[in-house]
Amino acid sequence: MKKIYLFLFIFLLLNCSTDEQSSTENTESNQSEEIIFEQGFGKNPSEYVANWNRLVSEIASDEETLFYFSINPDNVQWTSTDRNILLYQFGLNENTQSAFVLNILIADDTVVGVEFFSPVASDEITAQRTRLFFLIIIALSDETLDKDGRESVLSKVGLYDEVESPNQVGGGVTLNKVRYVVEPLVDRGVLVGINFYSTRDSE
């Protein structure tokens, strides 16, 4: 079990609000709260989904956020008869063009990695959702990382880099035997999506 502080996630969610005063008050009131979660790698698929939802339920500031980021177990689907990848799509009720897609990689009924697709859009909400999804995935990949450690992953995979071409977006890093990679999805010179991979390194 691992404790992490809530204020980072609350701050990310409240950045989507246009009410600056309300956001400040809510952030300050939640900075001292803690949440408890279990990492997802090494668990079976049902446990991974349960741990994901447990983390989301703790960090969600409202029902809309809880609904959007939670995984409905009934809608998780195998992508093939090999039963080695489970697929889940977020945001279908809003707009299929901006849906986030999570692939859960399975080996011997154990979660060994995830592949996550995020659309690229000009609105701030999509950007904030992307960052929060990335942080959730990192937290469930390695519970030993603290707030600074998770931010360091985002920095080392190139999420904050300034680039001249969309093809230059991204990078990779390995920490505590977990490999994190960001790759751009480019169509006719335009960045249309970002793929984020988090997988256990082979031993």
Side-chain angles (χ1 to χ4, degrees):
M1 304 291 283
K2 175 71 175 180
K3 292 184 178 180
I4 62 175
Y5 287 99
L6 183 60
F7 73 91
L8 173 63
F9 297 97
I10 293 296
F11 174 75
L12 292 174
L13 295 173
L14 292 178
N15 271 348
C16 298
S17 171
T18 56
D19 188 341
E20 182 177 353
Q21 181 177 359
S22 175
S23 297
T24 302
E25 292 174 353
N26 288 337
T27 303
E28 291 175 350
S29 66
N30 285 289
Q31 281 187 350
S32 61
E33 295 182 26
E34 295 179 345
I35 58 175
I36 298 176
F37 71 98
E38 295 182 33
Q39 90 176 28
F41 283 4
K43 308 289 186 180
N44 65 45
S46 296
E47 290 174 316
Y48 185 91
V49 170
N51 288 333
W52 178 291
N53 287 339
R54 184 180 301 115
L55 179 56
V56 171
S57 69
E58 293 288 347
I59 67 178
S61 59
D62 52 57
E63 288 297 321
E64 181 180 354
T65 301
L66 177 63
F67 178 75
Y68 190 91
F69 284 89
S70 294
I71 296 176
N72 182 345
D74 295 335
N75 293 336
V76 178
Q77 301 177 347
W78 293 105
T79 60
S80 70
T81 56
D82 294 336
R83 298 174 71 88
N84 55 11
I85 299 177
L86 282 166
L87 178 146
Y88 187 79
Q89 205 159 352
F90 301 85
L92 287 178
N93 60 312
E94 292 187 353
N95 185 344
T96 55
Q97 293 183 344
S98 62
F100 297 87
V101 179
L102 177 70
N103 287 325
I104 306 173
L105 311 182
I106 314 295
D108 298 324
D109 198 38
T110 300
V111 177
V112 296
V114 298
E115 299 173 347
F116 183 77
F117 169 78
S118 169
V120 171
S122 58
D123 63 287
E124 183 181 354
I125 291 179
T126 299
Q128 293 294 340
R129 283 174 171 172
T130 298
R131 190 164 180 262
L132 180 54
F133 272 124
F134 284 5
L135 288 170
I136 291 173
I137 290 169
I138 293 169
L140 290 179
S141 302
D142 183 3
E143 65 179 8
T144 67
L145 294 177
D146 59 10
K147 177 180 72 69
D148 291 337
R150 292 187 295 275
E151 283 292 334
S152 176
V153 171
L154 294 184
S155 178
K156 290 176 180 178
V157 296
L159 193 63
Y160 304 133
D161 291 351
E162 294 185 6
V163 296
E164 296 180 359
S165 165
N167 292 302
Q168 296 175 327
V169 170
V173 65
T174 300
L175 293 173
N176 301 331
K177 298 182 179 180
V178 178
R179 180 67 177 169
Y180 305 94
V181 176
V182 162
E183 292 181 350
L185 181 60
V186 180
D187 182 24
R188 300 177 183 178
V190 177
L191 182 66
V192 296
I194 295 175
N195 292 317
F196 181 50
Y197 305 95
S198 174
T199 55
R200 274 186 164 179
D201 251 13
S202 306
E203 297 184 355

